[in-house]
Amino acid sequence: MVLSSDVDFDVIVIGAGVAGCVTAYQLAAAGHSVLLVERGPKAGSKNLSGGVLYCRVMEQVFPGFLTEAPIERRVTRNCLSFLSPTSFVNVDYRDERLAEPVNAVTVLRAKLDAWLADKCEAAGATVMPGVKVDSLLTKAGRVTGIKAGEDELRAHVVVAADGVNSFICRDAGIRAPEPTKHLAVGVKSVIGLPRAVIEERFNLTGDEGAAYAVVGDCTNGVAGGGFMYTNLDSISIGVVLRLDDLVRRGETSSDLHDRFLGHPAITPFIKGGELLEYGCHMVAEGGKAMVHDLTRDSLVVVGDAAGLGLNTGFTVRGMDLAAGSAIAAAKAIDAALRKGDVSQASLNAYPAELARTFVGHDLDTYAKAPRFLENPRMYWDYGRLLSDVMYGVYNLDTRPRKHLLGTVMAARKKSSLGIVRLAKDALAAVRAM
Ligand SMILES: Cc1cc2nc3c(=O)[nH]c(=O)nc-3n(C[C@H](O)[C@H](O)[C@H](O)COP(=O)(O)OP(=O)(O)OC[C@H]3O[C@@H](n4cnc5c(N)ncnc54)[C@H](O)[C@@H]3O)c2cc1C
């Protein structure tokens, strides 16, 4: 396919989130003319993440990322927590090896995305905030540019980085409306607290950070969980709830968010804090099953728009996958532009490359995770079982003690969990995780 001479830019990127900015930055740095369009008044103003960024991939694109970028804390404590109405059982994992090299950091998107957009501008990209792309321009079935209001702009390649609801992918016939079981709704608050208070409450020193993944009573049985991440002088806290289960159970996401923040085990962490931000956003949770075509003639899809999200129960990931897809996409687009062929066949170097990276491999590894996380016992019965076992161990009520196995069996009997069911769930967990 010969490149048209009637273009305004080599590449137009739609959406200045992580995926869009990382794609635009690399292509601009490689010498291509790039337009990055963002519907929000500023990059990051429309974006919302829990906030744990597995950041090693960012160092590949921006050497010095950890010292230059507006990161909050280095995550050295990961807690997997089970919440029941009366208890809070934590697997609290702190490891100095997570600090060197740094594995994960907490971020606030308003700051991170603005920094990324500045990087794009410094690399030579034109950043255009406050512009909502309405549709793609096409000619003989090939994408030729974008339409925003009355304005039309043309490019050799258009990159859809417009997030989980990607209207651009629908416009291109790549995705139908996503089944609700592939989507979750996230509701998040950012609560401001003095730095010293956060460090004392979460047992942290310096710029160390903690990340809690919580299941159980916070969602009142709805598939999903709570999260609580420490920033420098604020806490990001909220819930992520699978959309189909939320609707089936007739719950509302804002009520479950409030229920989590109001739980007696959680309120001490945020007591006295000031609400700085509150927002709601969709989350891509379908894993590999949600990934659709990634290319068309002159069109490439990256990040959430491509369905690249992974929830394993331990970690919620999207930003690192967005960056990983952007690296693979930019490499393929650069090569396609240099050889003057932006056909789908040429751009398919991108999905081939993506499959070789950690993104493709992790999607394969956790392909069964979404199905496993549909198990309703994960959100109710197992937390209660664990809570009853711990109660049996610590509640020394002057009656004769049982061995641990006897305590576990007594707790299991009280629950509705049969031994065969437990064994099957354990096997499914091993296979999915
Ligand atoms: C509550 C919650 C918690 C999460 N927690 C984590 C976490 O801890 N760690 C993690 O890695 N991931 C997390 N995620 C997922 C993560 O936020 C996403 O995977 C990530 O933001 C995807 O980046 P993206 O650039 O693909 O899309 P987005 O960040 O959604 O960016 C898309 C951009 O496109 C713009 N846009 C959309 N339509 C148009 C249009 N028509 N014209 C112009 N611009 C447009 C939007 O304004 C936006 O700026 C969480 C998500 C939520 C909602």
Side-chain angles (χ1 to χ4, degrees), residues 13-21 37-40 42-54 105 107 109 113 128 130-135 148 160-168 184-188 227 229 238-240 279-284 302-306 308-310 315-323 325:
V13 180
I14 307 169
V18 174
C21 287
V37 191
E38 166 57 42
R39 70 178 166 167
K42 278 201 296 194
S45 58
K46 292 256 180 196
N47 289 347
L48 190 144
S49 265
V52 173
L53 168 59
Y54 297 92
V105 292
V107 292
R109 291 294 296 274
D113 292 12
M128 205 184 271
V131 176
K132 179 175 171 288
V133 176
D134 296 317
S135 61
D162 55 332
V164 64
N165 291 326
S166 185
F167 290 102
I168 299 302
V185 57
V187 187
K188 172 185 165 185
F227 62 87
Y229 304 146
V239 286
V240 174
C280 181
H281 202 281
M282 291 302 223
V283 191
V302 289
D304 269 16
L308 299 172
L310 270 178
T315 53
V316 176
R317 290 170 56 194
M319 289 186 279
D320 61 325
L321 306 179
S325 68

Side-chain angles (χ1 to χ4, degrees), residues 86-98:
T86 56
S87 69
F88 192 38
V89 183
N90 289 290
V91 179
D92 187 340
Y93 166 60
R94 182 181 186 284
D95 198 324
E96 282 168 17
R97 287 174 299 175
L98 294 175

Side-chain angles (χ1 to χ4, degrees), residues 8-14 33-37 133 144-146 152-160:
D8 303 290
F9 294 90
D10 292 331
V11 183
I12 296 176
V13 180
I14 307 169
S33 63
V34 179
L35 173 68
L36 175 60
V37 191
V133 176
T144 53
I146 58 165
E152 296 187 349
L153 290 164
R154 289 179 169 73
H156 298 307
V157 179
V158 173
V159 178

